[in-house]
Each structure stands twice: as structure tokens, then as C-alpha cells.
Amino acid sequence: MMMSDSKKSVVFHLGFLALLFLLQFILPAYHHGNLARIMVLATYAMGYNILFGYTGLLSLGHAMFFAAGMYGMGLTMTHLGWTAGPGMLAGLLAGGLVSAGIGFLALRTSGVSFMIVTLMFAQAGFLTILYFGEWTRGDEGFVIRQADRVFAGIDLSHPTYRYLAALLLFGICLMLTIRLMQSRFGHVLIAIRENEERTQMLGYDVHFHKWMAVIASGTMAAVAGAAYALLFGYAGATFASVQYSIFPLLWVLLGGAGTALGPFIGTLFMFYLIDLSSSLTTAYMLIAGVALVLLTLFLPQGLVGEWRRKMMPWLT
Amino acid sequence: MAQKDDAMADMTTPHINTKGLSRNFGGLIAVNAVDFEVPKGEIRAIIGPNGAGKSTFVGMLCGRIAPSSGEIMFAGQNITAMPAHRRIRQGMAYTFQITSIFARLTLKENVRLATSWRWNGDESAIEEATHAALEQVGLADRMHQIAGDLSYGHQRLLEIAMGISQHPELLILDEPTQGLADSEIASFVKLIRDLGGDMTILLIEHNMNVVMDTADKITVLNLGTELATGTPQDIRANKAVQTAYLGETHA
Ligand SMILES: Nc1ncnc2c1ncn2[C@@H]1O[C@H](COP(=O)(O)OP(=O)(O)OP(=O)(O)O)[C@@H](O)[C@H]1O
Ligand SMILES: [Mg+2]
């Protein structure tokens, strides 16, 4: 009995999720907490990867989608008294709407202009958050009270439940990504990345597919933003700043653009790279920078990308 | 536009035709007021010297290039403003003069992308069309290779396979035999003859043997205008064509 490549890939990733589930029982508290955070940030990176890695569109403005989810949830909970469930939904919808609108406008451009337009929109979003400081508390941000961080009676601020919630979110988004990229729709996204003109001349509405990719990508980023605020209890304008648009690009590049697991591996790697080097020296960004340069020189396809090329060509 | 010709969908309706089709690039008139028509099932060669406007002309037919003025009708419908992908879904297929494939995907994946929308998700029909098209161009045994690893000639054949896998009604080929070996050209000629009759084929071609062996009729473009249209015999005998075409090589 031979498994098809797509089945193999699904089984492999389910196995990986099982491993993450088991890790919670052996990890010391510090790493346990880190991993929960990494899984949420990796979900953000997975959203970014749908657009950058699979569709080939480089956005420099994804922080606005992350923040749309974060504030969609945070503001409705804080000012309208919504509970966690409806709050998450508000975050998801905010992300969907913002990405549909921004995508519609930004996709009138391509290449470098697309990068700059998304960067500008994100900057406008960042300034908007500061401008409405009365509600958003600007740079300072606001805390989401522990009493509100409860879903279906489960206290999400408790490390165990927080880890499980992060894993659930990450697992759902990972399997959704794989499902998407194994579908005909996903194949068209890859075709657009590989040769846009040919894709159009084979009968595909390239513009529509790109727009859908922006919406899928932005919505996943937003859900990650909402979950981040809910699980870690804080929303702030930093998450809408340029550096939060650059992070997912770095994570995805490091882990492997266009691989389902690349975003997680890249996020994990970078998190611990900075964590370790900052315990050694205050010039930790220098060490991190050098490591990044070496990796991009010697593993241009990213960690998972190289691994797929050498060992597992069937990986999604 | 006041279009009064209601009763036009009769048997004599051309499969594709143009009226006053033009395209300028800045000051350069690449295609100049071309009236053109091809009936269903005809194999029409389009020839002309380098820079005559052949690629620009067919580029407008398939929607890659927007016309500066003029109209395009396909199967009785005005498609001048229709986006390219919809024209393809209405039954056109197009191969580029400069090979354009998915170089990092396998041959099979290339052809599947071309044909998968056509069968409404019917997996066995997609497989069958993919396989048949690769078989027709003689690449079936390389199905799992990466397209970018193929020789240039084979990449051209792959692109033709992508076109015919869509079972189009109108197939537009821009210099398909460029870079093919003689034996491959011979099987290409046979393939085109087999397809003709059902399919309308527009063939831009520099190789006169291929043109003479396949075309029902030939249209000659020169400096953006239509110089002549006729049977291969007519064109061979045409004085204006001889001067335009052979002018440079005549002593
Ligand atoms: N995108 C463009 N911008 C400017 N000029 C163009 C463009 N495309 C074509 N041209 C010009 O239009 C004219 C017609 O070009 P076209 O490619 O249609 O000729 P062709 O008959 O296909 O020639 P060939 O046999 O060399 O393929 C040429 O003078 C060419 O330089
Ligand atoms: Mg040409």
C-alpha cells in the first residue's frame, strides 16, 4: 500500500502536532510558556506565508492585519463588554474586512509598488491606533483583565490551557493551510507565484485569486493577533508597527517560504536565537543578524525548504 | 454601438474575426486596421517578416494586449473588452512565442493546471486529458520530470500540450516550431493536421515547409497591415508578397 503524497504530508503534520501536544508534559515552565507564544506567532507567520510563500506577493504591511484582529477583539471586549468568543469573532471579522479592503486597493499595484503600498497602509493603520488613543491607549496599550480571558469556563490565562489553546489555534491553521494548498485553488496560487502571465493565459482570474489570497492571509494573521491578546492579556500599538510587519517575513524566510511548517520552525529558531544571544551579550541583535545572514547564504530555501528538497519532496 | 446585424449567427459566421484592429506602441503602429476572418475548423497560417506585427495581432485576439482601436468577434460575440482568462474559458488556447511554462513544476503539474478547470473537478477526466495531451506531443514518458530541466524544444512541446489539453475551439500558436528538431517538426505537422477540422488553428510560423504542409489559407502581414490572404498557391504566386517577404534576400 502506497500513500499518496498529499496523504503523507497530512499524516506527517498531524504527527508533528501530536509531538507538540506531548511536549507540554516534559517542558520546563519557561520553555512551555515560550512555546505557547511561539505557536501563536507562528500562526501569524503561516498567514503571512499564504501570501508571500505560496502566492509570491511580498507584503510589508501585515502588522495591520495582526493588529486588526488584536484590536477587533480587544476593543469590543474592553469597551463593549463582549466575552472572549464573540471577541475572537470580532477580531476575525475585522481582519477579513481590513484585508479585503486593503487587498482590493493594494492589488492595483505589483512588485515593489505593492510592498510600498502595503507598508504605507500599515503605517496609516499604526497612526490611526495612536490617534484614537482615548480608546486604544496608544503606545501604552491596555490589559485584558484576567477575569475576561475565559472561554467556555476555561481560564485561558492558566499556562496549561493557554498552551492547549495556542496548540489548537496553530493546529487548525496548519491543517487549513495544508488543505488549501492541496486544493485546486492552492495550486493556482502556486501557479501565480511561478508564472503569473502563463496562469492568466491558461484561463485563471489572477487578480481574483490574489485578492482571495490576501484575504485568507490577512484573516489568519488577524486571528493570530486576536488570540495573542486573549492568551497573553495585552494589546498595544507596538504590534501594529513596522517591525511586526518585518518579523513574519523573516520567520518565513528562515523557516522556508512556501512550506507549511516553515513559519513555525522559523519563528521558533528566531525566538531562541534572540533569547540565547541576549543571555550572552547585550549585542544580541548583532549575533542574531550574523546568524540570519549565514542562514540565508547557505540555506536559501530556509530550514524546512532545504529539508524538503533533500529528504521529503512530498511535503506541502 | 449600433449593431444592427441580429441575424448573424448563421453558418457563414466566421469563428473569429476582427474589424479595423489596431495597436500603437507610442508612435509605432504595430498593427494597422486589420480586417481578418477565419471560419471554424480552418488552419490559418499568419506569416510576415520580423516585426510585422504578428505576435501583437494574435496577442490582441487572446486578450494579452489591449487594442488601440477596432473590434474582435469570437463565435459571434464581441469580445474586444473581455479579459484574457475569460476568452480562454470561452474556448481559446494560446502558446507564447517565448516559451512560458511553470519551470519549477513537473510536466504533469503544468498540464494539469492548464486543463483542470475544464472538467469541473472530475479527477479522472483531468487525468485523462493530461495524459492524452502529453502523449500527443510525445512527452508522456517524462511526465514526472521538472519542466525547467527539459530541452528548449521539449519545453515548446509542453506548452503545446498545455494548449491542446484544454480541448480549445481556437488554438493560437506563436512560432511553435522554433527550436524543434526536424523529427519533432515532422510530428508537429502531423499533430496539427490531426487537430485541424475540429479546431480552428492560427499558426504564426517562419518555417515555410510547415506552413505549406498544414495551412488551409495564409494571411501575410507586413508593417502592421494585411498584405494578402489566400491559399498557399495564391500566396506563393503573389507578387506583393514576394517583394515584401523576399525583398531583402533578392539580389
Ligand atoms: N511591448 C512593446 N512595446 C513597444 N514596441 C513593441 C512592443 N511589442 C512589439 N513592439 C513592436 O511592434 C512591432 C511588431 O512586433 P511583433 O512582436 O508583433 O512582430 P512579429 O511579427 O511577431 O515579429 P517576430 O517575427 O520577430 O516575432 C515591432 O516593431 C516591435 O518592436
Ligand atoms: Mg512574434
Side-chain angles (χ1 to χ4, degrees), chain B residues 55 97 174-175:
Chain B
S55 294
Q97 177 169 5
D174 197 344
E175 299 200 18

Side-chain angles (χ1 to χ4, degrees), chain B residues 25 28 30 48-57 97 174-175 206:
Chain B
F25 292 110
L28 178 89
N50 290 110
K54 305 180 295 293
S55 294
T56 307
F57 178 68
Q97 177 169 5
D174 197 344
E175 299 200 18
H206 276 303

Side-chain angles (χ1 to χ4, degrees), chain A residues 194-195 197-198 202-204, chain B residues 89 100 104 113 117 159:
Chain A
E194 294 295 314
N195 188 340
E197 195 177 30
R198 180 72 272 184
L202 288 180
Y204 295 102
Chain B
R89 299 227 169 184
S100 179
R104 297 198 297 175
L113 276 165
W117 56 262
E159 205 177 348

